[in-house]
């Protein structure tokens, strides 16, 4: 899941701009130039379009339907509810920290720029590189996150086909082809560029909100209901963990970016959290056998629950179609955010072949090479599904651990600066203060002050550590080799490769977020 990456999205408009709009964009470009960056991407995203982008990328209620198998197995209905509340609070605290950082330095570099900005001078280059890495931390997390979402989209379509046609014989390679089709759709939407992507994101915001009620109403109205007591007290420990508690834990294209990004980030967490919690309660209130749902031939328990509620194949397929449309919309936004992360890191010479991946098209000013490479990586990762769907689950774990480890790095560095009082108060007249590596730091327009900021920052670090730790765990005790979560090995290998590339090549060309302009 994450909204802070929106900072990297920039916009476009070929029509004459109103004076106020032109002034805002000129100020945005001036701020980017003061940080030593050329404003090469167009600023086409306003508040509504970027809000739609962030909501669909986070996609809490849709993603929850597709991935709540493990909370059901290792927690039951009550465990899933309390785990969601804990995750909601934890995610909100993390996003407060990210919103503060985005307000201080709204650049496409995100975590690796912030790491260089916050780190002690002698460690700036290395910590920035490893944060932008993990053996490319944030890049790895977003690339694997995109592959996981593409897999979820393609296999959900396959699951709907199984539900609708009892004679259909599903093969893994069918799912891979559907994953490719979804990625091609997202690629075309991204390469269209210009005014297309912001308008698509605005429409998908509508689909995200309306689709929620399209699922919620028939699900709660037509299905038999459990009692509240049963719902909030029924735990399960399908993984065989020693304690119930252990099982539970298993479960640069925006106008006025320094203000808009924090606002959109917090709104996204609040609204998506409410929608996610609502759909979770609705689906868990449905009276049915959880084990039968888990054993559904579709591969997705929510499809079995849709069918149980409506007692109609066409009705349940219509509800599945709503989910699939929103998955496809999320994939478009996810590809955009992931490619910007790769493009930005390449612009700062942090990846092999950075000269090619950092190029921007002259006409639409899009990082087309980075977009195509990002889609190609996911296309290749989808081949894993032919051999083992469990291996793709490990890819999802790598996405979670990769992104959250990069969060942990910047949250820890910010916490250190915060405790030492090394960040000055925000003042609208201080236009000369720029949050770049080695410079005096100043809070942005969004800031959680005093002791509350320290508490939120500290809790966010604890929550991130818990998420990363349990992302490496298997779903049950004493797993077989096929059931083992091998993501820790994948992350470890990526770290080693990143370190090797750093000492062989990157340390000679990578200096942290580069200054393309003199400041």
């Amino acid at each position: 899941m994450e909204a802070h990456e929106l900072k990297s999205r920039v916009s476009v408009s070929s029509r004459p701009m109103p004076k106020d709009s032109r002034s805002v964009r000129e100020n945005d470009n001036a701020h980017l130039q003061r940080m030593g960056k050329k404003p090469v991407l167009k600023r086409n995203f306003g508040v509504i379009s970027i809000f739609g982008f962030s909501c669909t990328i986070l996609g809490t209620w849709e993603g929850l339907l597709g991935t709540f198998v493990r909370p059901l197995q290792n927690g039951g209905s009550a465990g899933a509810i309390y785990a969601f509340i804990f995750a909601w609070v934890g995610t909100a605290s993390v996003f407060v920290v990210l919103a503060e950082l985005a307000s201080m330095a709204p650049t496409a570099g995100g975590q690796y720029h912030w790491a260089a900005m916050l780190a002690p001078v002698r460690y700036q280059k290395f910590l920035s590189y490893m944060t932008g890495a993990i053996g490319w931390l944030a890049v790895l997390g977003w690339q694997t996150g995109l592959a996981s979402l593409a897999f979820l989209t393609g296999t959900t379509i396959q699951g709907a086909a199984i539900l609708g046609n009892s004679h259909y014989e599903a093969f893994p390679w069918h799912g891979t082809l559907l994953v490719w089709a979804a990625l091609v759709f997202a690629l075309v939407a991204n390469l269209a560029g210009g005014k297309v992507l912001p308008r698509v994101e605005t429409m998908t915001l509508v689909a995200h909100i309306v689709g929620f009620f399209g699922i919620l109403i028939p699900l709660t109205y037509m299905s038999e209901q459990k009692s509240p007591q049963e719902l909030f007290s029924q735990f399960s420990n399908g993984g065989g963990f020693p304690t119930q508690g252990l099982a539970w834990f298993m479960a640069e294209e925006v106008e006025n970016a320094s203000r808009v990004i924090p606002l959109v980030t917090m709104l996204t967490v609040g609204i998506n959290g409410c929608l996610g919690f609502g759909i979770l309660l609705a689906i868990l209130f449905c009276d049915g056998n959880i084990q039968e749902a888990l054993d559904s031939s579709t591969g997705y328990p929510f499809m079995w629950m849709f069918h149980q509620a409506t007692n109609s194949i066409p009705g349940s397929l219509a509800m599945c179609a709503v989910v699939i449309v929103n998955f496809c919309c999320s994939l478009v936004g996810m590809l955009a955010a992931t490619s910007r992360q790769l493009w930005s890191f390449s612009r700062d010479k942090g990846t092999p072949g950075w000269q090619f991946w950092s190029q921007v098209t002259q006409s639409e000013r899009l990082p087309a090479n980075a977009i195509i490479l990002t889609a190609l990586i996911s296309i290749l990762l989808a081949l894993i599904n032919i051999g083992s769907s469990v291996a793709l689950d490990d890819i999802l774990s790598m996405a979670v651990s990769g992104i959250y480890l990069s969060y942990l790095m910047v949250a820890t560095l910010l916490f250190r600066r915060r405790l030492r009082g090394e960040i000055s108060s925000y003042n609208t007249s201080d236009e000369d203060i720029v949050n770049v590596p080695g410079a005096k730091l100043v809070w942005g327009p969004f800031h959680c002050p005093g002791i509350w900021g320290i508490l939120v920052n500290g809790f966010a670090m604890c929550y991130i550590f818990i998420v990363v730790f349990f992302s490496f765990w298997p779903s049950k005790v004493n797993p077989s080799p096929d059931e083992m979560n091998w993501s820790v090995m994948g992350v470890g290998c990526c770290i080693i490769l990143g370190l090797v590339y750093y000492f062989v090549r990157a340390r000679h060309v990578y200096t942290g977020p580069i200054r393309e302009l003199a400041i």
Side-chain angles (χ1 to χ4, degrees):
M1 73 47 183
E2 296 286 271
H4 69 286
E5 294 296 345
L6 317 177
K7 59 194 176 321
S8 62
R9 318 269 322 231
V10 208
S11 47
V12 197
S13 185
S14 57
R15 297 175 296 178
M17 294 178 291
K19 185 176 180 180
D20 290 344
S21 177
R22 184 183 297 113
S23 176
V24 168
R25 295 189 185 187
E26 288 174 353
N27 289 337
D28 286 336
N29 289 340
H31 183 65
L32 195 61
Q33 289 167 344
R34 286 199 301 273
M35 290 192 293
K37 297 296 185 184
K38 294 179 181 178
V40 296
L41 302 181
K42 293 183 179 180
R43 299 183 183 274
N44 224 3
F45 284 83
V47 175
I48 300 299
S49 58
I50 203 65
F51 182 49
F53 170 76
S54 83
C55 276
T56 53
I57 248 197
L58 200 55
T60 304
W61 73 262
E62 302 96 334
L64 189 145
L65 287 175
T67 59
F68 79 134
V69 174
R70 182 171 288 189
L72 282 180
Q73 290 174 322
N74 295 301
S77 58
I81 290 172
Y82 301 132
F84 184 92
I85 294 173
F86 176 75
W88 191 2
V89 174
T91 301
S93 68
V94 173
F95 274 39
V96 168
V97 173
L98 297 175
E100 288 182 314
L101 291 167
S103 186
M104 291 173 67
T107 75
Q111 293 98 302
Y112 79 85
H113 180 101
W114 301 332
M117 176 182 78
L118 297 168
V121 174
R122 62 183 299 184
Y123 302 119
Q124 282 176 352
K125 182 170 74 170
F126 179 72
L127 290 181
S128 170
Y129 175 83
M130 289 310 297
T131 302
I134 191 177
W136 307 306
L137 274 182
V139 174
L140 169 73
W142 280 89
Q143 291 288 342
T144 52
L146 175 66
S148 298
L149 179 57
F151 170 73
L152 182 63
T153 304
T155 53
T156 301
I157 297 172
Q158 187 177 34
I162 295 171
L163 178 65
N165 185 354
S166 59
H167 299 294
Y168 168 56
E169 186 177 359
F171 292 98
W173 64 270
H174 294 174
T176 296
L177 290 178
L178 289 169
V179 170
W180 289 355
L183 284 168
V184 169
F185 166 76
L187 179 61
V188 171
N190 271 268
L191 291 178
K195 303 173 185 177
V196 175
L197 194 55
R199 289 177 177 175
V200 168
E201 297 301 341
T202 301
M203 291 187 293
T204 55
L205 175 60
V206 176
H208 179 66
I209 303 297
V210 174
F212 168 77
F213 292 102
I215 298 297
L216 183 72
I217 293 172
L219 193 60
T220 54
Y221 179 75
M222 302 181 70
S223 63
E224 297 182 6
Q225 306 294 311
K226 293 180 180 177
S227 67
Q229 182 179 5
E230 183 182 7
L231 182 70
F232 289 96
S233 62
Q234 185 182 71
F235 291 89
S236 69
N237 189 354
F241 291 98
T243 67
Q244 185 61 57
L246 188 57
W248 180 73
F249 268 119
M250 289 302 297
E252 292 173 33
E253 299 164 41
V254 182
E255 294 181 352
N256 200 10
S258 62
R259 295 181 182 273
V260 170
I261 294 304
L263 171 64
V264 167
T265 298
M266 301 318 300
L267 281 176
T268 299
V269 175
I271 293 177
N272 266 24
C274 290
L275 297 182
F277 193 56
I279 209 72
L280 177 64
L281 289 178
I283 202 164
L284 292 178
F285 259 118
C286 295
D287 190 17
N289 188 304
I290 289 181
Q291 191 56 51
E292 288 183 9
L294 295 174
D295 293 337
S296 170
S297 60
T298 64
Y300 290 101
F302 76 87
M303 293 185 179
W304 181 90
M305 292 180 172
F306 286 176
H307 187 224
Q308 286 295 108
T310 62
N311 198 28
S312 165
I313 292 294
S316 54
L317 287 177
M319 295 170 69
C320 291
V322 172
V323 178
I324 291 169
V325 167
N326 280 285
F327 279 161
C328 290
C329 293
S330 296
L331 194 61
V332 172
M334 190 72 167
L335 175 58
T338 304
S339 61
R340 267 53 169 194
Q341 178 78 336
L342 174 63
W343 168 79
S344 181
F345 198 43
S346 299
R347 177 183 59 178
D348 290 327
K349 305 179 182 180
T351 63
W354 57 267
Q355 300 95 328
F356 186 72
W357 311 124
S358 62
Q359 292 178 11
V360 175
T361 59
Q362 294 298 317
S363 56
E364 292 292 345
R365 295 201 297 189
L366 285 170
N369 294 344
I371 293 173
I372 293 172
L373 175 62
T374 298
L376 182 59
I377 290 172
S378 291
I379 286 173
L380 294 176
L381 287 175
L383 292 170
I384 296 174
N385 180 56
I386 298 176
S388 171
S389 60
V390 175
L392 269 172
D393 290 341
D394 294 346
I395 295 293
L396 175 59
S397 295
M398 290 176 64
V400 172
S401 57
I403 292 175
Y404 272 84
L405 278 170
S406 69
Y407 293 169
L408 183 60
M409 178 76 78
V410 295
T412 302
L413 291 172
L414 179 64
F415 192 68
R416 172 182 174 274
R417 292 275 195 171
R418 185 173 238 135
L419 291 179
R420 295 162 65 99
E422 295 177 347
I423 308 178
S424 303
S425 299
Y426 173 72
N427 190 328
T428 54
S429 63
D430 292 338
E431 294 186 354
D432 294 334
I433 297 178
V434 183
N435 291 313
V436 295
K440 179 181 178 181
L441 298 180
V442 61
W443 292 110
F446 178 86
H447 169 47
C448 188
I451 187 64
W452 290 109
I454 293 174
L455 291 175
V456 170
N457 200 157
F459 179 73
M461 292 162 56
C462 294
Y463 173 73
I464 293 170
F465 179 82
I466 291 172
V467 169
V468 172
F469 180 76
F470 283 99
S471 71
F472 294 134
W473 280 54
S475 59
K476 61 175 66 175
V477 172
N478 300 321
S480 66
D482 290 339
E483 297 168 330
M484 183 62 188
N485 186 345
W486 298 102
S487 62
V488 65
M489 185 176 68
V491 171
C493 289
C494 287
I495 292 176
I496 293 172
L497 288 174
L499 287 171
V500 169
Y501 180 71
Y502 177 80
F503 287 107
V504 172
R505 173 63 175 165
R507 67 190 178 98
H508 301 296
V509 295
Y510 181 77
T511 58
I514 64 172
R515 297 180 181 181
E516 300 168 308
L517 301 171
I519 56 176

